Amino acid sequence: MESKNSHSQTVDKQFGSQAQDYLTSTVHSQGPDLQRLAQLLQSHPDARVIDLGCGAGHASFVAAKAVKEVVAYDLSAQMLEVVSQAAKDKGLANISVERGVAESLPFADGSADIIISRYSAHQLARRRSGTARSAPRVEAGRYHDHDGSGFDRPAG
């Protein structure tokens, strides 16, 4: 059985070295799910959003155009560097980045209105644990997970 630390190192190594490629990837930078996310967020202009497993930040960029604040959260330092630079290039000053594992979030309960995740749930060492622990961070909000399944449920 792979330990959490070993899993984290594997994910960081595998995806971090390709961070710039994920930013420019057509598959990752476009899609009807991003359009749907933009629609869902339009009615929440004052929201604080956490993008759990943000990767190169495509969902964060969509969210930042609609809401007050976005925290792009990922395991890979290289991905977060790409997100920071791309956000700056796009003029999205309301995106901050934070590094860590999804199974142990550093956010206080009630510190987010909405948590989103796109194409990242497969990377969680313990998916149920990670997403279940996300819910308390959401204050009367929603958790939106789009990993191809279209999972969307109220938090809590």
Side-chain angles (χ1 to χ4, degrees):
M1 179 182 240
E2 189 176 19
S3 73
K4 189 184 295 188
N5 190 39
S6 176
H7 172 76
S8 298
Q9 292 169 342
T10 300
V11 169
D12 189 34
K13 181 178 178 181
Q14 178 180 357
F15 293 97
S17 65
Q18 301 174 45
Q20 193 63 43
D21 294 335
Y22 278 96
L23 180 65
T24 58
S25 164
T26 303
V27 170
H28 293 88
S29 65
Q30 300 174 16
D33 59 316
L34 290 175
Q35 294 168 2
R36 174 78 172 129
L37 179 61
Q39 291 170 346
L40 290 169
L41 294 176
Q42 287 302 318
S43 59
H44 303 283
D46 295 324
R48 180 171 194 248
V49 171
I50 298 173
D51 184 359
L52 185 63
C54 67
H58 299 293
S60 293
F61 305 146
V62 168
K65 293 175 185 175
V67 303
K68 183 176 183 177
E69 179 185 357
V70 176
V71 178
Y73 186 78
D74 202 271
L75 177 61
S76 169
Q78 294 98 325
M79 285 287 193
L80 294 174
E81 289 170 14
V82 166
V83 172
S84 290
Q85 185 59 53
K88 182 178 176 182
D89 294 346
K90 294 173 183 289
L92 299 172
N94 61 336
I95 295 179
S96 62
V97 299
E98 190 154 346
R99 184 175 184 217
V101 296
E103 295 87 359
S104 180
L105 299 174
F107 307 106
D109 289 355
S111 63
D113 300 298
I114 300 168
I115 294 180
I116 60 176
S117 182
R118 178 179 187 250
Y119 296 146
S120 61
H122 64 279
Q123 297 171 35
L124 296 175
R126 296 178 186 92
R127 182 176 183 200
R128 288 181 152 246
S129 172
T131 55
R133 290 182 187 157
S134 300
R137 277 58 174 188
V138 181
E139 175 137 5
R142 296 186 67 79
Y143 176 88
H144 179 80
D145 175 2
H146 186 85
D147 241 17
S149 65
F151 179 72
D152 185 12
R153 68 171 177 82

